[in-house]
Amino acid sequence: MRPTATKNPWLPFGTGADAELRLLCLPHAGAGASSYRAWGEGMSSQIAVCPVQPPGRETRRREPPETQVGPLVADLAASLSQEPLTPYAVFGHSTGALSAFELCRQLRRMHAPPPVHLFVAGRRAPQIPMDQTRLRGLSVPELADVLRRLGGTPEQVLSDPGLLRMLHPLLIADFAVNETYHYVHEPPLDCPITVFAADEDPRADLDQAAAWEHQTTAAFTWHTLRGGHFAVFQQAERVHGWIAEALRA
């Protein structure tokens, strides 16, 4: 189900007021809410896909992007607390998976209604430190090489120096969210966690993804996808089916 528009800048496509359940989707580095726009057509009609728009991109491109996950999720949680979302689940890919996890912990600190499920993809468990790519010092061609190795970025973007220069500040900020992250131990979440792990993902091997199991006291589910870092989008139909099945349960 595709939700209707809202004035909340974090939720540019709305909250699905008539849906039985909402799925908040947090984007990967360099991406915005539109990366999940098509998911609203592929998901079960009972689930409203609600793409989240962090500052610095698309409809919020004039705002400076956040470089740390703490302030990002604090602002997002405060905004979500003003919306009629319950019941809801959270999905995040790559940097968005880290933000989704810390959002759940921030909402718990606020004693806000918790999500019924957390779905993550494209990132190792938060207690395992990330490799440092040191994007701050990269030239535009070097940035293109890093993105090409990760996969998922169209070649027409990678071969356009002007577009890469425009995206460079946002990508630097988004990668900083991952690379400056310092995991602080807290009790595991009470909601179930489902991980979508790709067997050729250079950012999270299967063992690193499996370690998400330690972050929940509830059910833990694992799905393996063939492919690289963006397999979750390339095989979206399968992912939608698994999400709908988990939320029915």
Side-chain angles (χ1 to χ4, degrees):
M1 174 183 288
R2 177 175 291 179
T4 54
T6 178
K7 294 182 179 180
N8 187 333
W10 289 96
L11 298 167
F13 303 128
T15 59
D18 297 328
E20 294 180 12
L21 189 145
R22 290 142 200 86
L23 179 66
L24 306 178
C25 296
L26 284 81
H28 53 275
S34 63
S35 60
Y36 293 107
R37 189 74 190 270
W39 281 33
E41 298 172 353
M43 196 69 69
S44 165
S45 60
Q46 286 78 38
I47 303 169
V49 175
C50 302
V52 173
Q53 189 80 284
R57 64 215 75 207
E58 297 178 357
T59 54
R60 305 182 68 184
R61 62 187 176 276
R62 297 184 183 277
E63 302 176 46
E66 289 286 359
T67 58
Q68 293 185 313
V69 71
L72 175 69
V73 300
D75 289 348
L76 175 55
S79 178
L80 294 179
S81 67
Q82 306 302 313
E83 297 286 346
L85 295 173
T86 306
Y88 69 99
V90 184
F91 176 95
H93 175 249
S94 193
T95 303
L98 174 64
S99 300
F101 169 69
E102 285 296 338
L103 172 65
C104 293
R105 302 215 295 183
Q106 175 65 18
L107 290 166
R108 181 172 63 181
R109 296 182 200 111
M110 296 167 58
H111 305 289
V116 298
H117 209 111
L118 171 62
F119 300 92
V120 292
R123 197 191 191 283
R124 61 189 65 181
Q127 68 272 21
I128 303 175
M130 291 292 295
D131 298 330
Q132 300 296 303
T133 59
R134 306 188 186 282
L135 287 185
R136 285 186 181 85
L138 294 184
S139 66
V140 169
E142 290 170 333
L143 175 63
D145 288 341
V146 170
L147 296 177
R148 191 173 282 111
R149 287 198 300 272
L150 287 176
T153 302
E155 186 59 37
Q156 60 265 33
V157 174
L158 299 176
S159 59
D160 186 335
L163 184 55
L164 279 178
R165 278 193 295 270
M166 183 175 67
L167 290 174
H168 191 267
L170 175 59
L171 287 165
I172 294 298
D174 282 354
F175 273 78
V177 169
N178 250 326
E179 297 182 355
T180 62
Y181 176 69
H182 175 67
Y183 175 74
V184 176
H185 176 74
E186 292 183 16
L189 298 171
D190 294 329
C191 67
I193 293 179
T194 292
V195 171
F196 302 104
D199 61 1
E200 298 179 8
D201 190 344
R203 301 286 284 176
D205 65 35
L206 297 182
D207 289 339
Q208 293 167 338
W212 279 97
E213 182 174 9
H214 300 292
Q215 296 299 334
T216 179
T217 60
F220 177 76
T221 306
W222 167 281
H223 296 289
T224 302
L225 298 168
R226 299 293 296 273
H229 190 59
F230 290 93
V232 71
F233 291 102
Q234 294 158 352
Q235 300 173 50
E237 185 175 350
R238 296 182 70 197
V239 173
H240 293 167
W242 283 326
I243 289 174
E245 181 181 0
L247 294 178
R248 280 195 300 268

